[in-house]
């Protein structure tokens, strides 16, 4: 062959070799990750998958390793750790070597990476992923939070009390906060040996009596997660806080005024005492319920007068501020423009104009007034009853007076009677009326029967003659019966 042709042939073969080498290196594809591990957060007890998908993977030339920190935990599909919760999910056609961890635990909280090595030289690393943190979130155990018990059962105002709330720190760290009711109490957290605690220091006051302190625990690991523990209620002893109470603060002369010695104390007061103006007639004051209540009848000399009360318990004593009330004149009496008013100064009544018709709010009747009203009512009822009884009796008498008839009379015929001048005069029977009196029995007499026949049982009657002349003389005729005869007497 001609030397020039041989040179051309060798040149073509060299180009073909170089082209094949270039194609196998660049055109065939570059080794890389289609998907690689990324940082994830997972709650303890759940499952998680870390991805690793390799582009241009060749099983004959590549080995895939999984690292946890600097420790190999999987070689291709073989898990090299003793944990049964870890597995590799392969798909060789896709170059997929995903790492799956079941029932995630705090010990799984590490950085993970996926590495591709040359199968012929395992120490030769061809591809390495970015390290990815697996953040395992945890919550404290069911026994948390814990509130430290109180140092003692009873406190006095001014004492200092320390309360502590603690819990496992967990991941993310729990939030501990003290509350009194719905109000937050200032406190600061402290972390030590995997635990977190908050401490509050309280100076005891009367407002802490019966107070309950609550420690609330929350975490961002779970939405709406909240647990709590409580301390209390606190038993705080303190001396009485005393005030004088009266409703209303304006009275009229003659009204009953009631003042109450109101106190806030623990324990309850066992003694009350009033500071009142001294008057010779001390009966003006009336006390009730161990002198907690003070009553008096309002009068003008009480205007601007100060009243105060004391209350005592086993801790100490307390006294109220001075109290004053306003007394107006009785209705119909003009009121001056200025009157001392209530507590804390003076004021004009109704804008400075005399008010004789203030509402009756606060007006009350004294026991004496109530007794008088009751007595008047009883007298009125008795009077009505007596008048009614008298009218009934009068009507009955008038009816009996008009009831006489012919059946009631002893004799209804012509009679001969004598007037006071002893003059005989004949009267018509109708000129005499009779009123029956009672029942009598008579015995017949032959002589009497011939002139005046009478039945066996008669009624004694009283007859009244009615003369004809203008100025008549009246005489009563009474029939009086003896055993065997009848006698007519003028």
């Amino acid at each position: 062959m001609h030397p020039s042709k041989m040179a051309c042939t060798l040149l073509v073969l060299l180009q073909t070799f170089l082209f094949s080498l270039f194609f196998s290196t660049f055109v065939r594809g570059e080794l890389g990750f289609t998907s690689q591990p990324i940082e994830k957060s997972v709650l303890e007890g759940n499952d998680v998958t870390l991805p690793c998908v390799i582009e241009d993977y060749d099983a004959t030339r590549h080995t895939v390793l999984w690292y946890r920190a600097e420790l190999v935990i999987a070689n291709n599909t073989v898990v090299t750790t003793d944990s049964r919760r870890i597995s590799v999910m392969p798909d060789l056609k896709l170059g997929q070597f995903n790492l799956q961890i079941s029932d995630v635990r705090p010990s799984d909280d590490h950085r993970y990476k996926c590495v591709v090595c040359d199968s012929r030289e395992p120490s030769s690393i061809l591809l390495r992923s970015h390290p990815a943190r697996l953040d395992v979130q945890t919550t404290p155990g069911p026994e948390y939070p814990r509130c430290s018990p109180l140092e003692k059962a009873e406190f006095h105002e001014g004492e200092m009390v320390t309360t502590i709330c603690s819990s496992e720190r967990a991941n993310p760290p729990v939030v501990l906060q003290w509350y009194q009711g719905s109000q937050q109490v200032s406190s600061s957290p402290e972390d030590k040996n995997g635990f977190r605690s908050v401490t509050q220091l309280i100076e005891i006051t009367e407002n802490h009596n019966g107070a309950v302190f609550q420690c609330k625990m929350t975490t961002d690991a779970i939405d709406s997660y909240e647990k709590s523990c409580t301390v209390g209620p606190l038993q705080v002893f303190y001396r009485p806080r005393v005030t004088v109470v009266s409703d209303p603060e304006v009275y009229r002369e003659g009204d009953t005024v009631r003042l109450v010695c109101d106190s806030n104390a623990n324990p309850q007061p066992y003694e009350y005492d009033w500071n009142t103006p001294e008057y010779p007639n001390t009966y003006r004051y009336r006390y009730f319920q161990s002198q907690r209540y003070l009553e008096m009848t309002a009068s003008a000399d009480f205007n601007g007068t100060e009243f105060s009360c004391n209350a005592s318990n086993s801790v100490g004593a307390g006294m109220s501020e001075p109290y004053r009330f306003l007394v107006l004149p009785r209705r119909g009496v003009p009121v001056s423009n200025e009157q001392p008013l209530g507590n804390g100064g003076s004021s004009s009544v109704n804008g400075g104009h005399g008010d004789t018709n203030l509402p009756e709010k606060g007006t009350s009747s004294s026991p004496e007034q109530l007794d008088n009203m009751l007595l008047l009512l009883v007298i009125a009822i008795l009077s009505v009853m007596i008048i009614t009884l008298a009218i009934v009796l009068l009507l009955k008498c008038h009816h009996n007076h008009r009831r006489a008839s012919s059946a009631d009379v002893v004799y209804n015929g012509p009679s001969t009677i004598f007037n006071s001048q002893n003059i005989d005069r004949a009267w018509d029977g109708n000129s005499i009326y009779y009123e029956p009196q009672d029942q009598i029995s008579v015995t017949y007499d032959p002589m009497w029967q011939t002139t005046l026949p009478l039945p066996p049982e008669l009624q004694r009657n009283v007859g009244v003659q009615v003369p004809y002349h203008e100025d008549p003389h009246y005489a009563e005729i009474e029939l009086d019966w003896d055993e065997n005869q009848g006698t007519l007497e003028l």
Side-chain angles (χ1 to χ4, degrees):
M1 182 179 292
H2 194 275
S4 61
K5 290 183 178 181
M6 290 181 62
C8 289
T9 302
L10 292 174
L11 182 59
V12 171
L13 292 173
L14 179 59
Q15 289 177 347
T16 302
F17 173 75
L18 293 174
F19 179 78
S20 299
L21 180 62
F22 174 80
F23 182 81
S24 63
T25 304
F26 297 100
V27 177
R28 184 174 180 271
E30 183 179 358
L31 190 65
F33 288 107
T34 303
S35 179
Q36 60 179 316
I38 58 174
E39 292 192 358
K40 285 190 175 184
S41 295
V42 60
L43 186 63
E44 180 182 9
N46 292 341
D47 300 339
V48 66
T49 299
L50 300 177
C52 181
V53 181
I54 304 165
E55 183 180 359
D56 197 26
Y57 168 76
D58 186 351
T60 61
R61 297 184 298 114
H62 300 147
T63 299
V64 180
L65 303 176
W66 271 100
Y67 282 82
R68 182 170 63 192
E70 300 301 326
L71 177 65
V72 176
I73 59 174
N75 186 334
N76 285 332
T77 60
V78 179
V79 177
T80 59
T81 181
D82 58 355
S83 176
R84 296 181 180 180
R85 299 179 295 104
I86 299 176
S87 61
V88 177
M89 303 174 61
D91 188 337
L92 301 182
K93 291 182 180 180
L94 299 177
Q96 173 180 297
F97 290 85
N98 294 342
L99 182 68
Q100 183 173 3
I101 305 176
S102 303
D103 187 18
V104 173
R105 300 176 183 177
S107 58
D108 298 323
D109 192 326
H110 286 285
R111 293 186 178 274
Y112 294 81
K113 60 185 176 182
C114 180
V115 176
V116 179
C117 299
D118 191 333
S119 300
R120 293 164 296 183
E121 298 182 13
S123 60
S124 175
I125 297 176
L126 303 178
L127 190 62
R128 187 197 311 264
S129 71
H130 298 294
R133 163 86 184 278
L134 178 61
D135 181 24
V136 179
Q137 296 184 341
T138 60
T139 58
E143 68 274 19
Y144 295 103
R146 289 176 178 171
C147 291
S148 60
L150 294 173
E151 300 172 358
K152 55 183 181 178
E154 300 174 352
F155 300 89
H156 288 77
E157 54 183 341
E159 290 187 90
M160 303 301 295
V161 177
T162 301
T163 59
I164 301 174
C165 177
S166 61
S167 170
E168 292 177 333
R169 185 177 183 275
N171 179 44
V174 295
V175 177
L176 300 175
Q177 179 63 56
W178 279 107
Y179 288 85
Q180 181 182 356
S182 59
Q183 184 178 2
Q184 288 189 9
V185 179
S186 178
S187 55
S188 56
E190 179 183 0
D191 295 335
K192 186 177 181 181
N193 299 328
F195 286 85
R196 169 166 287 192
S197 63
V198 288
T199 303
Q200 66 167 342
L201 186 62
I202 309 166
E203 183 177 359
I204 296 297
T205 67
E206 61 182 275
N207 296 326
H208 291 126
N209 185 43
V212 176
F213 293 95
Q214 182 182 36
C215 176
K216 293 184 179 180
M217 178 180 68
T218 58
T219 176
D220 293 335
I222 303 177
D223 294 337
S224 304
Y225 178 91
E226 181 178 301
K227 296 180 67 177
S228 65
C229 61
T230 58
V231 172
L234 273 64
Q235 177 81 333
V236 180
F237 292 137
Y238 55 96
R239 63 183 180 86
R241 276 40 171 180
V242 187
T243 55
V244 177
V245 180
S246 176
D247 184 22
E249 293 186 350
V250 179
Y251 298 88
R252 288 192 179 273
E253 289 184 324
D255 291 348
T256 297
V257 180
R258 170 173 282 199
L259 303 182
V260 182
C261 188
D262 192 28
S263 64
N264 174 24
N266 188 34
Q268 290 299 315
Y270 59 81
E271 183 179 33
Y272 295 93
D273 183 32
W274 286 90
N275 300 316
T276 58
E278 294 184 1
Y279 292 98
N281 48 345
T282 56
Y283 63 86
R284 300 181 72 176
Y285 303 119
R286 301 179 294 275
Y287 301 95
F288 305 94
Q289 294 189 9
S290 301
Q291 297 194 9
R292 183 166 180 252
Y293 293 89
L294 169 63
E295 279 191 1
M296 68 201 81
T297 301
S299 61
D301 53 358
F302 282 136
N303 260 331
T305 302
E306 293 185 350
F307 293 83
S308 62
C309 68
N310 306 315
S312 303
N313 64 4
S314 59
V315 179
M319 185 174 70
S320 70
E321 293 292 330
Y323 180 86
R324 295 177 294 274
F325 57 87
L326 175 63
V327 179
L328 299 178
R330 295 180 182 273
R331 288 190 173 278
V333 180
V335 181
S336 61
N337 288 343
E338 293 186 358
Q339 298 282 355
L341 179 64
N343 305 295
S346 62
S347 174
S348 61
V349 179
N350 196 20
H353 302 286
D355 181 10
T356 60
N357 295 293
L358 287 178
E360 286 296 329
K361 179 181 179 183
T363 302
S364 58
S365 300
S366 63
E368 294 82 2
Q369 292 174 328
L370 293 177
D371 293 341
N372 293 337
M373 292 175 62
L374 183 61
L375 181 60
L376 291 175
L377 179 61
V378 172
I379 293 175
I381 293 174
L382 291 176
S383 300
V384 171
M385 293 176 63
I386 293 173
I387 293 173
T388 303
L389 181 60
I391 293 175
V392 171
L393 292 175
L394 288 175
L395 291 175
K396 185 175 181 180
C397 292
H398 181 69
H399 175 72
N400 291 336
H401 176 73
R402 300 183 58 184
R403 202 161 57 104
S405 63
S406 58
D408 301 322
V409 299
V410 174
Y411 175 71
N412 197 24
S415 304
T416 300
I417 61 174
F418 300 94
N419 61 12
S420 59
Q421 286 80 20
N422 297 319
I423 300 176
D424 294 338
R425 182 172 297 175
W427 296 84
D428 183 12
N430 293 330
S431 298
I432 301 175
Y433 73 90
Y434 300 90
E435 292 184 354
Q437 295 296 314
D438 52 14
Q439 295 287 344
I440 61 174
S441 298
V442 298
T443 303
Y444 287 99
D445 183 87
M447 184 181 296
W448 186 259
Q449 289 179 347
T450 58
T451 59
L452 187 64
L454 295 174
E457 292 185 0
L458 297 176
Q459 195 174 41
R460 186 171 66 90
N461 295 275
V462 176
V464 180
Q465 75 177 39
V466 183
Y468 289 106
H469 54 80
E470 295 181 357
D471 188 13
H473 297 279
Y474 291 94
E476 278 192 359
I477 300 176
E478 180 179 352
L479 299 180
D480 188 12
W481 301 93
D482 292 330
E483 181 178 356
N484 294 318
Q485 62 182 1
T487 304
L488 182 64
E489 295 181 357
L490 290 177

